[in-house]
Amino acid sequence: MKEENGFAELELGISLMVGLGKEGGINFRKAIDCFLRSIQLGNACAAVFLAEMYKYGLGVQRSTAEARKYCNLAIYMNINKYVENGDELAIVALGNMNYWGYGVTKDYKKSFDFFKIAAEKNNPLAQFNLGLLYEHGDGVERSDESAAYWYKKSADQKNVIAQNTLASMYYHGFGVKPNFSEATRWLKLASIQNDIFAQYELGILFSEEDCSPTGEKNKGEALKWLYCCLLDPIFIDDNNNGNNNNYDDIIIVNNKT
């Protein structure tokens, strides 16, 4: 519900977490600040997105205990009232909680149902999460083709995690035909939103002969993108808690397990 207090802070936090083409790109620390302000203003949804930062170690030390705490806070703040009013972000948030089993009993099928509702309303977060469920076969029959379909829906809306993951699908040929050019194109789109992981992957891709469509290394491109990584706070922060992209199992140029 857009009239709820803290909604603007919540939306800004989400854009700082996953990009969405907003000015400034990815900044996990600022995203956390936005979520905290949104919670203080009474927005229950923000508690779940802050939990996500703790669960995956995005800008903070990874902590299951903190993630659970904020999901429990969302329940206490009555996040269900947002869902009952059709709030897309609340539907996504409850989908996350059911997927993790934080604040509620773990239920992949319920998680799938929540994500499907929001994804069909064109919510990029739900579209990515739905793709993830299809890729891993959680709550639905496993399908790389369906996963790639929903990842692309989300990536088209400039969700950098979806752009990264779609790049991996094209690189390995999971659910789509292998296509090096498409893989690099999606990584570049994520990179220009200040996503350090995509920048690093581009640097690695262009430094490896077997990754090049011509069979040759491209040192210029490799150095350009690796240099971008060196400018990121993660490399100069004593606590190593800057834009720390721990996307867990949803990442790029890694073989599927």
Side-chain angles (χ1 to χ4, degrees):
M1 295 181 293
K2 289 184 167 37
E3 64 273 13
E4 286 287 339
N5 288 337
F7 183 84
E9 290 79 5
L10 172 62
E11 278 205 322
L12 179 57
I14 289 171
S15 69
L16 289 166
M17 181 173 69
V18 299
L20 303 182
K22 301 297 174 63
E23 185 176 352
I26 302 298
N27 190 313
F28 293 144
R29 283 179 171 172
K30 288 184 178 179
I32 290 168
D33 289 341
C34 287
F35 293 144
L36 285 170
R37 288 199 302 272
S38 183
I39 293 168
Q40 290 169 354
L41 291 169
N43 195 301
C45 300
V48 181
F49 289 103
L50 183 57
E52 186 168 0
M53 306 295 279
Y54 277 104
K55 178 171 175 58
Y56 296 112
L58 304 177
V60 292
Q61 186 70 33
R62 187 179 304 198
S63 172
T64 298
E66 286 295 296
R68 289 183 181 277
K69 181 184 80 174
Y70 281 108
C71 285
N72 288 332
L73 177 61
I75 294 294
Y76 177 79
M77 296 174 71
N78 197 12
I79 192 172
N80 287 304
K81 73 176 181 181
Y82 295 76
V83 175
E84 291 167 3
N85 284 290
D87 187 299
E88 289 177 20
L89 292 177
I91 293 170
V92 174
L94 209 53
N96 283 338
M97 292 171 67
N98 276 273
Y99 186 75
W100 304 329
Y102 295 175
V104 296
T105 302
K106 179 179 286 192
D107 190 325
Y108 288 153
K109 182 61 172 64
K110 281 187 179 180
S111 180
F112 176 85
D113 291 342
F114 280 124
F115 291 147
K116 187 73 180 295
I117 291 169
E120 289 178 344
K121 294 182 178 181
N122 208 34
N123 181 280
L125 303 179
Q127 290 168 340
F128 170 77
N129 289 339
L130 198 59
L132 195 63
L133 294 188
Y134 273 113
E135 184 178 0
H136 294 286
D138 294 332
V140 67
E141 184 176 350
R142 190 181 178 284
S143 170
D144 282 342
E145 290 75 16
S146 295
Y149 171 84
W150 287 108
Y151 287 150
K152 187 174 186 304
K153 286 278 191 183
S154 183
D156 283 339
Q157 296 194 71
K158 303 183 180 179
N159 180 340
V160 297
I161 308 179
Q163 290 173 338
N164 276 322
T165 310
L166 188 60
S168 178
M169 304 292 273
Y170 275 111
Y171 180 80
H172 293 294
F174 297 143
V176 291
K177 291 183 179 179
N179 189 319
F180 178 87
S181 295
E182 277 296 285
T184 55
R185 182 174 78 87
W186 285 110
L187 284 176
K188 285 180 178 179
L189 288 172
S191 293
I192 62 177
Q193 291 196 79
N194 197 37
D195 183 61
I196 188 175
F197 191 84
Q199 292 167 350
Y200 175 78
E201 289 296 336
L202 277 175
I204 297 301
L205 282 176
F206 283 115
S207 68
E208 297 178 357
E209 292 181 5
D210 61 346
C211 291
S212 169
T214 62
E216 299 177 355
K217 298 179 182 179
N218 189 328
K219 292 183 179 178
E221 282 291 298
L223 288 173
K224 179 178 77 173
W225 292 111
L226 290 174
Y227 181 69
C228 287
C229 293
L230 292 175
L231 297 178
D232 194 278
I234 184 176
F235 287 95
I236 58 177
D237 190 324
D238 291 337
N239 296 317
N240 201 32
N241 283 328
N243 286 354
N244 192 6
N245 293 18
N246 293 326
Y247 292 148
D248 271 38
D249 300 326
I250 52 181
I251 354 222
I252 304 303
V253 188
N254 290 324
N255 290 324
K256 270 192 178 175
T257 55

